[in-house]
Amino acid sequence: MILISFFISLIWVSVAAGLDSNPSYDITQLYPYKLCWFTRDVIYYFLTIPVGVFLFLNILMFILVAHRIIKHVRNATSPHQSYERMKQCIIILLLSSATQGIGWLFGPFLTFVDEKAGNILGWFFIIFNGLEGLWIIILYLIIRSQHMDEQKRCIAVAELTKSTAVSS
């Protein structure tokens, strides 16, 4: 996927640079204090469409991978509680990936909406990307509880071996 995205980006940049060499096409215009120099007429071709294609491909890959992982997690059976926590970790990681990706879906819409709607979409972007901290905290709590259970088990085993050694 990285190589495919590299070559598609290389092709689009080459086309943009080639078309921009003729000033009558009006591909770019230098705007002070602006990050993107594409004019509004061509921003769809060189920004929105490629971003949309990559978002579609990434969503498709995410769905396929999530489907496979969830299928694997559902079929995994074990009496150990650690496997249940591992299942929870996988679900948390999938939710984290999904919510962080949802924020980036609003990017292409920012190019053609008015300023008020752009601010609202910007807040959605901030909220969805801010959920990363929530998922990290939940994941930490799950892993920490797993570690604490393992410590309790080790202590119980040590006490059991001491009591059997003393009684012998």
Side-chain angles (χ1 to χ4, degrees):
M1 286 299 283
I2 291 174
L3 287 175
I4 290 170
S5 67
F6 173 75
F7 285 117
I8 290 174
S9 300
L10 185 67
I11 290 168
W12 277 106
V13 168
S14 301
V15 168
L19 291 174
D20 194 42
S21 64
N22 187 349
S24 67
Y25 289 136
D26 198 28
I27 300 292
T28 61
Q29 185 176 358
L30 295 176
Y31 297 106
Y33 309 112
K34 293 265 185 163
L35 184 62
C36 184
W37 293 346
F38 285 118
T39 58
R40 274 201 150 325
D41 298 335
V42 299
I43 199 163
Y44 302 110
Y45 304 113
F46 293 106
L47 184 68
T48 305
I49 292 173
V51 167
V53 168
F54 286 121
L55 283 174
F56 173 74
L57 291 175
N58 283 329
I59 289 170
L60 180 67
M61 291 300 292
F62 178 78
I63 289 171
L64 293 174
V65 169
H67 181 270
R68 176 73 176 124
I69 289 174
I70 289 173
K71 187 175 162 184
H72 177 72
V73 167
R74 282 187 181 158
N75 294 333
T77 57
S78 175
H80 299 291
Q81 192 176 13
S82 63
Y83 285 105
E84 289 300 318
R85 289 211 177 90
M86 291 173 87
K87 289 180 182 181
Q88 291 173 348
C89 289
I90 289 172
I91 298 299
I92 296 292
L93 289 173
L94 288 173
L95 286 172
S96 172
S97 298
T99 56
Q100 291 174 34
I102 287 171
W104 290 99
L105 288 175
F106 298 114
F109 298 112
L110 294 174
T111 60
F112 58 84
V113 296
D114 63 345
E115 185 177 345
K116 188 174 181 179
N119 286 336
I120 293 169
L121 291 176
W123 275 104
F124 279 121
F125 174 80
I126 291 168
I127 289 168
F128 280 120
N129 282 337
L131 286 174
E132 178 183 4
L134 172 71
W135 299 125
I136 289 172
I137 290 170
I138 292 172
L139 196 61
Y140 172 76
L141 292 174
I142 291 170
I143 292 171
R144 181 72 180 151
S145 65
Q146 180 180 357
H147 181 68
M148 289 174 59
D149 285 347
E150 189 145 333
Q151 282 182 336
K152 287 178 187 177
R153 190 172 51 90
C154 290
I155 291 172
V157 167
E159 288 178 4
L160 182 64
T161 56
K162 274 185 187 177
S163 65
T164 56
V166 170
S167 63
S168 299

